[in-house]
Amino acid sequence: MRVLGIEGTAWCASAALYDAETDSVLIESDPYEPDSGGIHPREAAEHMSEAIPEVVDRVLTAAEAEHGPDAVDAVAFSRGPGLGPCLRIVGTAARALAGTLGVPLVGVNHMVAHLEIGRHRSGFDNPVCLNASGANAHLLGYHDGRYRVLGETMDAGVGNAIDKFTRHVGWSHPGGPKVESAAAEFAETGSGESGADSVADLLDLPYVVKGMDFSFSGISSAANDAADDGVPVEEICFSLQEHVFAMLAEVSERALSLTGADELVLGGGVAQNDRLREMLAAMCEVRGADFHAPEPRFLRDNAGMIAVLGAKMAAAGDTVEISESAVDPSFRPDQVPVTWRSGESV
Ligand code: ATP
């Protein structure tokens, strides 16, 4: 089966072809980069309306060149969560394409796709999943036909919390990679000459974990205040990362412990951060658990993960009629009946 996936929940207009027979994924993406500030929903939607037809055309042309006119067996699209104006453009494109090609339509939950791509690439059986993305942050575990939300942010998504600080100090979007570089620089040199000591050089920032839930709004504001007080920005970046990622590592460990799982997969754009992966890998090693983060092209928003999960759903007969295929900006992962794992015992 070959599935054409379309992604466009916020900033990344992307199309992909997944070939289940060869397990290969072709991805074409065109990111929206705001001139200033964060993501503006109207500008992002304008970007989608221009970029989605182009990335779809590139993938479809390549697919038909290789496989002929029947190259696509189903069209999958990100149905939510995300920005309504962007989702509606993606939904319209996917419906039109499925109709034109005469193939079934599959509506994919973007957060479950972030998780499933890690399970798919790792071959893990029943992992706990930490989704560390821009607009979201949550821990998911599978039980009785659904991915259950074991813990989640009580306010901002992890990437958005970091980007809020970088906007405050005047850095362009996205801020996460810039914070990673600045933090790494500080870790090399520290406030003195001998390099940062991860405890002694930490600023005192809010660390808020309640069970398996957590909060980032306080830490973004405290980081902004520290910048206003003249604390060097590299020092703030270092402490911001250490605090935020330690919160994520703590709740991930608690989820592994309470579920008895011995596999952790990481998903979402923030998962591209080396320090986050290092901390989670170290925690898993101590517990004797396996850890996997897919390669970067599957971590940031991308249509590859939509096409891969779309193929699993289509194979399970989990397609959607065009009349029932409305997008859902608040689509939660635990609303999704997990049809493609129905043969599994867990
Ligand atoms: P969601 O998937 O929840 O809809 P999103 O659409 O914002 O979120 P993602 O691609 O998952 O998209 O994540 C984007 C976020 O990842 C941005 O906030 C960005 O700053 C952050 N990010 C990207 N690279 C890094 C990095 N190296 N370190 C930390 N954060 C990063």
Side-chain angles (χ1 to χ4, degrees), residues 7 9-12 39 81-82 110-111 114 132-137 158-163 166 173-180 241 245 267-274 299-302 305:
E7 155 65 29
T9 49
W11 64 274
C12 185
I39 293 175
H110 173 90
M111 301 317 301
H114 268 311
S133 62
N136 293 276
V158 59
N160 288 1
I162 293 172
D163 295 338
T166 53
H173 184 87
K178 295 166 189 104
V179 167
E180 178 170 21
Q241 277 202 173
F245 298 163
V270 182
Q272 294 169 99
N273 187 293
D274 286 343
L299 288 171
R300 50 183 168 262
D301 285 359
N302 68 90
M305 65 183 190

Side-chain angles (χ1 to χ4, degrees), residues 20 32 50 66 87 92 95 100 126 129 143 147 149 159 167 178 201 218 232 239 252 255 264 292-293 296 346:
Y32 152 65
E50 284 167 23
E66 194 175 344
L87 290 171
T92 303
R95 283 178 215 113
T100 308
N126 194 28
C129 177
H143 178 69
Y147 283 108
V149 178
R167 275 202 303 280
K178 295 166 189 104
D201 280 309
S239 288
S252 300
L264 178 70
H292 179 79
V346 276

Side-chain angles (χ1 to χ4, degrees), residues 59-137:
V59 168
L60 202 52
T61 303
E64 290 181 342
E66 194 175 344
H67 304 288
D70 297 328
V72 173
D73 299 306
V75 172
F77 72 108
S78 47
R79 204 170 175 182
L83 301 173
C86 296
L87 290 171
R88 283 190 280 280
I89 288 163
V90 170
T92 303
R95 283 178 215 113
L97 201 55
T100 308
L101 298 174
V103 298
L105 185 65
V106 186
V108 172
N109 180 291
H110 173 90
M111 301 317 301
V112 175
H114 268 311
L115 179 170
E116 278 288 340
I117 193 67
R119 203 170 77 93
H120 180 77
R121 303 293 286 182
S122 63
F124 285 175
D125 183 33
N126 194 28
V128 162
C129 177
L130 172 63
N131 264 334
S133 62
N136 293 276

